[in-house]
Amino acid sequence: MNRTRMSVAVVALATASALTLTACGGGDGKSAASKKDSVPKSSVNNIKATDRDQLKQGGTLNWPVAEIAENFNYSQIDGTLADGLDVERAVMPITMLSDAAGTVSPNPDYLTSAEASDSSGKQVVTYEINPKAKWSDGTPLSWKDFEANWKALNGKDAKYKISSSTGYELISSVAKGKNDQEVVVTFSTPFGDWKSLFTPLYPASVIGTPEGFNTGYLGKFPVTAGAFKFQGIDKTTKTLTVVRDDSWWGNKAILDKIIYRALDADAQAGAFANGEVGFFSVGPDPAGYKQAQEVKGAEIRKAAGPNYRHVTFNGARGPLKDVKVRQAIMSALNRQAIAESDLQGLDWDPKPLNNHFFVTNQKGYKDNSAGIGVFDQAKAKSLLDEAGWKQGGEFRTKGGKTLELDFVIPANVSTSANEGKLMQPMLKAVGIKMNIKSVPLQEFFDKYVNTGSFDLTAFSWLGTPFPVSSTKSIYAKPVGDNIQQNYTGVGSDELDAAMNKAAAATDPAQAIDDANASDLLIWQQANLLPLYQRPDIYAVKKNLVNIGAFGFQDLRYENIGYLK
């Protein structure tokens, strides 16, 4: 199950097999991280960057995914699968691109410029749309598409089932400029991460109504605008195919087609070894890493991106409603041991991660845990005593009920299974009974995480160059049924105000300070425990280039291909 967080502040979910959001350029054919004593710099990646004139024209890439997504509107609450985004980025407008260092700039295929200015004390961003850019139905991209995306995502109409309103709720107007291809966006409050907005961009003709927004991209792509176009889904073979779009105005795609193949996470290494797929994301999977190293004609590509493994606590039900119980569990879990076990054999430094916004090699990283995430069984027992859970027998009880929690994980994901086996005795040692509940991969998110049918669960958040705006929806205080991506059910007005302040900061140094102030509050409410920075490791056929471990960089699908 892959879910991803990207520049539209939409966050999703990922297991050990998730594919990160990346693009061409940077790095070479050598490993960017080969020793456990260091993590690669954020500006280093490894995609075997190669000029287009050195590539064969044509060919097919078999691309492994955990599942074929159902909804291909990434801004819709049910559409935030990374597997879906891997397809969308091939066929839909990605208006902003990040380089290997995390610097974001307009994608010239869609925008000739995008600039922020001050007008009468208001932040105004002016977008100039590439006049060549058009939708597959022949309609030019225009300010109306920006307006429709804003109206859908600003949170004012509950009929639009959105994954996040971050940034859009601060916009007061989206208007036509000197022509249809100039967009003038005015903010009521400054928004430092304005480059995170309007990507992917969807056509007004489809998402201009709540019904179109929620269901228009359900199992199909009615309108596209990318280097590739949608060909179809084969439910029997569990594949989705995109083909080169000859009406594309940018550099023509090198590949003829990409076939996305749904494979269980633990089956992807074998499929790669058998030549069924061109690459796969190793992630924290030592067995898959070892198997990939033995594949003839393959190589390992590594980078350090903004991705991390974590445990989510459902604070909306049962014993976990009590912050002391949540804090106790954080003290009971030995994150160093979990990291060492998950990452064993990967040549990756197994350090616990102590920040919810920044990863260890990212500017702004600071340990704000204040001792809450430190392994301390005595402290955990004391907190549980204070919460009224008394140790009488093997497990603690309160009011005649046993302190019992369900740890829900997706089946056939070895990393999740390993974490369950490690966590179970750790919690038992402080009097907590933890049941490991393995559920079908295809149901893990939709039927369990999204519905709150769990006590504890573990997966990976995949990050972006926008640490605050892309993370805000994970921690924003739920309002009724609108939880955005806050699957913990825990939030506060104080934290919302702190994150809003961080998002509004236009000075990078101030934004970092405000983000770390927000992070301190998240640690105190103890609803999500970061485990470790997730390694960005890919096994790739040596002759397949401009793809692999992108780190912070965005993927350019038209440049993927095979060497001559």
Side-chain angles (χ1 to χ4, degrees):
M1 170 57 119
N2 299 335
R3 288 189 174 255
T4 300
R5 169 161 57 92
M6 75 159 291
S7 56
V8 286
V10 183
V11 190
L13 173 69
T15 65
S17 66
L19 302 179
T20 55
L21 310 180
T22 48
C24 79
D28 55 26
K30 299 179 181 180
S31 172
S34 59
K35 297 182 180 180
K36 287 195 293 185
D37 58 0
S38 66
V39 172
K41 294 180 180 180
S42 61
S43 59
V44 175
N45 67 355
N46 188 349
I47 62 171
K48 203 166 185 175
T50 306
D51 290 340
R52 289 168 55 90
D53 60 9
Q54 297 181 44
L55 307 184
K56 297 177 183 177
Q57 289 295 317
T60 297
L61 171 59
N62 289 299
W63 183 310
V65 294
E67 64 179 293
I68 302 300
E70 294 183 0
N71 195 321
F72 294 102
N73 178 354
Y74 195 68
S75 299
Q76 209 270 347
I77 186 63
D78 295 324
T80 55
L81 282 172
D83 287 337
L85 187 62
D86 287 336
V87 181
E88 291 157 49
R89 293 176 73 85
V91 301
M92 300 300 292
I94 304 300
T95 59
M96 294 285 174
L97 294 174
S98 173
D99 64 14
T103 301
V104 179
S105 56
N107 182 346
D109 289 329
Y110 300 103
L111 298 173
T112 58
S113 68
E115 298 181 357
S117 61
D118 182 87
S119 177
S120 301
K122 298 286 186 180
Q123 182 184 34
V124 176
V125 178
T126 302
Y127 299 86
E128 299 292 344
I129 300 173
N130 185 336
K132 296 180 181 179
K134 61 181 180 180
W135 298 104
S136 57
D137 62 4
T139 305
L141 270 67
S142 76
W143 72 275
K144 294 180 181 179
D145 300 308
F146 282 73
E147 180 189 45
N149 280 258
W150 163 58
K151 287 184 175 179
L153 295 170
N154 61 20
K156 293 183 178 180
D157 188 342
K159 292 179 182 178
Y160 291 92
K161 304 301 180 183
I162 63 176
S163 56
S164 173
S165 61
T166 301
Y168 296 98
E169 85 279 22
L170 303 179
I171 295 174
S172 57
S173 68
V174 174
K176 176 182 176 179
K178 62 179 181 288
N179 55 42
D180 284 349
Q181 276 62 56
E182 184 176 80
V183 191
V184 180
V185 177
T186 304
F187 290 80
S188 57
T189 301
F191 183 57
D193 283 350
W194 61 268
K195 291 181 181 179
S196 69
L197 305 177
F198 301 109
T199 185
L201 187 72
Y202 293 88
S205 62
V206 179
I207 59 95
T209 65
E211 182 180 2
F213 179 86
N214 295 325
T215 66
Y217 281 85
L218 196 62
K220 60 184 178 181
F221 286 89
V223 180
T224 60
F228 289 83
K229 61 183 179 181
F230 179 65
Q231 184 178 78
I233 296 174
D234 187 327
K235 293 185 177 180
T236 301
T237 60
K238 296 182 180 180
T239 59
L240 182 153
T241 302
V242 298
V243 297
R244 183 192 299 116
D245 189 346
D246 291 330
S247 66
W248 169 247
W249 54 92
N251 288 328
K252 299 300 181 185
I254 297 293
L255 295 169
D256 292 322
K257 67 175 65 176
I258 300 174
I259 301 175
Y260 299 88
R261 298 183 178 276
L263 295 166
D264 284 342
D266 289 349
Q268 294 187 14
F272 177 74
N274 294 333
E276 298 171 28
V277 295
F279 70 95
F280 79 101
S281 173
V282 176
D285 180 7
Y289 183 75
K290 182 178 180 181
Q291 187 173 3
Q293 288 179 309
E294 298 171 352
V295 176
K296 186 178 180 179
E299 61 188 13
I300 302 296
R301 300 174 188 173
K302 295 183 180 182
N307 317 317
Y308 65 94
R309 191 84 181 162
H310 78 281
V311 177
T312 279
F313 296 60
N314 186 353
R317 75 175 195 180
L320 294 181
K321 285 184 177 180
D322 190 333
V323 66
K324 288 187 177 180
V325 176
R326 301 197 300 270
Q327 290 177 344
I329 293 174
M330 288 191 174
S331 295
L333 296 178
N334 187 337
R335 292 187 295 149
Q336 182 64 42
I338 294 172
E340 289 176 358
S341 181
D342 276 0
L343 302 174
Q344 185 178 12
L346 294 176
D347 296 326
W348 196 267
D349 192 7
K351 289 182 179 179
L353 181 68
N354 291 314
N355 198 297
H356 296 82
F357 294 101
F358 303 100
V359 289
T360 57
N361 62 323
Q362 193 172 11
K363 184 177 181 181
Y365 180 78
K366 179 182 179 182
D367 182 352
N368 297 307
S369 62
I372 292 176
V374 175
F375 177 52
D376 187 339
Q377 290 182 333
K379 180 180 178 180
K381 292 176 180 178
S382 177
L383 285 166
L384 291 172
D385 286 339
E386 292 176 19
W389 292 96
K390 303 303 181 183
Q391 186 94 46
E394 187 176 23
F395 299 108
R396 292 174 179 266
T397 61
K398 181 180 180 181
K401 294 184 178 180
T402 300
L403 183 47
E404 185 173 0
L405 303 171
D406 285 341
F407 180 61
V408 178
I409 60 174
N412 300 318
V413 178
S414 57
T415 302
S416 300
N418 182 61
E419 289 161 353
K421 291 177 182 178
L422 293 170
M423 290 167 56
Q424 197 171 47
M426 292 177 187
L427 294 185
K428 183 178 180 181
V430 299
I432 299 174
K433 183 179 181 181
M434 190 187 89
N435 305 310
I436 300 174
K437 186 175 181 179
S438 181
V439 303
L441 181 65
Q442 292 74 18
E443 298 178 359
F444 173 59
F445 187 78
D446 293 334
K447 292 189 177 181
Y448 290 90
V449 178
N450 199 33
T451 63
S453 300
F454 69 95
D455 294 311
L456 301 169
T457 189
F459 48 87
S460 298
W461 286 121
L462 305 191
T464 75
F466 306 103
V468 178
S469 60
S470 66
T471 303
K472 183 183 171 186
S473 61
I474 304 175
Y475 305 108
K477 182 180 178 181
V479 179
D481 293 334
N482 181 16
I483 65 169
Q484 298 190 67
Q485 276 107 17
N486 188 349
Y487 306 118
T488 74
V490 177
S492 71
D493 293 336
E494 182 183 11
L495 175 57
D496 283 355
M499 290 192 296
N500 288 338
K501 185 173 183 290
T506 54
D507 175 69
Q510 185 62 53
I512 288 173
D513 289 344
D514 292 341
N516 279 310
S518 301
D519 185 48
L520 183 61
L521 296 175
I522 296 172
W523 278 106
Q524 292 170 352
Q525 69 183 21
N527 57 330
L528 188 150
L529 179 64
L531 294 176
Y532 55 84
Q533 184 174 2
R534 182 180 180 275
D536 195 12
I537 304 175
Y538 283 77
V540 189
K541 291 181 179 180
K542 287 183 178 180
N543 67 333
L544 178 61
V545 300
N546 293 330
I547 193 169
F550 287 91
F552 285 79
Q553 191 172 2
D554 281 316
L555 171 61
R556 297 300 295 267
Y557 283 69
E558 62 269 31
N559 295 333
I560 302 171
Y562 297 95
L563 293 172
K564 291 180 179 178

